[in-house]
């Protein structure tokens, strides 16, 4: 997050984690404790952050990325992670032939998978704007929306069949999704 003293990039081969404290001018490599690729990283404040690998693992830091602990997550092909506070978080990806969402209420120590009935669909990115309201994007322009902390997810029409790999909302109305072939989708209505 740009408004924090610590920025972190947690994507790369061999579990590479990079940390900056000067706005990206210099980066220091940190040991993550795993050797596989990391796909998503999220910090809720300057100390507490998580990253997810594609091999059933989540790493967590509580000291701004200086040290990391390794925890299990319930499925392979995890693509992104988001926490609304130090305890409540979500992972998206794919398991077997289903798009998968897993959630935690204990800071990532244990995870439960939520069946959302999306066969053959990769889910790629997730973001919440508060503890209740969030979006997921993925394969074939898929957009899912929740307004009840992920208890239920509703499909929204993105207007594209291109894969979407990133999502970012400033608030519950204004947001963007990006994907294949330079696709950029923009909403001022919360995805309606």
């Amino acid at each position: 997050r740009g408004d924090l003293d610590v920025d972190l990039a947690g994507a790369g081969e061999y579990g590479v984690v990079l940390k900056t404290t000067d706005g990206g001018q210099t980066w220091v490599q940190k040991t993550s404790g795993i050797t596989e690729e990391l796909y998503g990283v999220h910090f809720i404040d300057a100390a507490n952050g998580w990253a997810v690998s594609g091999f059933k693992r989540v790493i967590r830091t509580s000291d701004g990325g200086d040290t990391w602990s390794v925890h299990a997550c319930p499925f392979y092909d995890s693509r992104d992670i988001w926490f609304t506070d130090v305890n409540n978080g979500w992972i998206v990806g794919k398991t077997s032939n289903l798009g998968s969402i897993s959630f935690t209420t204990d800071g990532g120590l244990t995870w439960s998978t939520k069946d959302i009935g999306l066969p053959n669909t990769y889910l790629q990115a997730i973001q919440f704007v508060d503890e209740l309201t969030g979006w997921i994007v993925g394969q074939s322009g898929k957009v899912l929306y929740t307004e009840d902390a992920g208890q239920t997810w509703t499909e929204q029409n993105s207007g594209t069949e291109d894969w979407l790999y990133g999502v970012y909302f400033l608030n519950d109305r204004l947001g963007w999704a990006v994907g294949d072939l330079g696709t950029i989708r923009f909403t001022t209505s919360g995805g309606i």
Side-chain angles (χ1 to χ4, degrees), residues 80-114:
D80 201 13
I81 192 166
W82 191 274
F83 274 74
T84 55
D85 59 45
V86 74
N87 292 313
N88 297 289
W90 295 86
I91 294 173
V92 297
K94 183 178 178 185
T95 182
S96 299
N97 289 324
L98 295 174
S100 295
I101 302 172
S102 288
F103 64 94
T104 183
T105 58
D106 60 12
L109 298 176
T110 60
W111 294 87
S112 299
T113 299
K114 184 163 190 65

Side-chain angles (χ1 to χ4, degrees), residues 5 16 18 47-50 53 59-61 68 83-84 95 97 113 124 130 133 146-147 161-162 179 189:
D5 293 337
V16 171
L18 300 173
N48 294 288
W50 297 260
S53 83
I59 58 173
R60 179 182 180 178
T61 183
W68 294 84
F83 274 74
T84 55
T95 182
N97 289 324
T113 299
Q124 296 289 329
D130 56 42
T133 311
T146 186
E147 57 187 1
E161 291 293 314
D162 294 327
S189 63

Side-chain angles (χ1 to χ4, degrees), residues 3 12 22 30 62 68 120 140 147 153:
D3 58 337
D22 60 8
K30 298 293 181 174
S62 58
W68 294 84
N120 301 313
S140 302
E147 57 187 1
W153 293 89

Side-chain angles (χ1 to χ4, degrees), residues 4-9 17-30 64 66:
L4 300 176
D5 293 337
V6 176
D7 292 328
L8 182 87
V17 174
L18 300 173
K19 177 181 177 177
T20 183
T21 56
D22 60 8
Q25 296 297 312
T26 58
W27 294 86
V28 177
Q29 185 170 331
K30 298 293 181 174
D66 289 329

Side-chain angles (χ1 to χ4, degrees), residues 41-158:
V41 62
H42 184 244
F43 272 71
I44 59 165
D45 56 35
N48 294 288
W50 297 260
V52 65
S53 83
F55 297 97
K56 295 187 91 168
R57 295 204 247 189
V58 173
I59 58 173
R60 179 182 180 178
T61 183
S62 58
D63 61 10
D66 289 329
T67 60
W68 294 84
S69 57
V70 180
H71 306 277
C73 86
F75 55 89
Y76 288 103
D77 276 339
S78 302
R79 293 296 175 205
D80 201 13
I81 192 166
W82 191 274
F83 274 74
T84 55
D85 59 45
V86 74
N87 292 313
N88 297 289
W90 295 86
I91 294 173
V92 297
K94 183 178 178 185
T95 182
S96 299
N97 289 324
L98 295 174
S100 295
I101 302 172
S102 288
F103 64 94
T104 183
T105 58
D106 60 12
L109 298 176
T110 60
W111 294 87
S112 299
T113 299
K114 184 163 190 65
D115 180 9
I116 54 170
L118 290 176
N120 301 313
T121 302
Y122 275 97
L123 301 176
Q124 296 289 329
I126 185 170
Q127 188 214 354
F128 279 77
V129 294
D130 56 42
E131 65 278 356
L132 298 175
T133 311
W135 289 264
I136 295 171
V137 298
Q139 181 177 354
S140 302
K142 187 72 64 188
V143 176
L144 302 174
Y145 167 73
T146 186
E147 57 187 1
D148 59 9
Q151 295 303 306
T152 59
W153 293 89
T154 304
E155 282 195 53
Q156 294 181 322
N157 183 357
S158 68

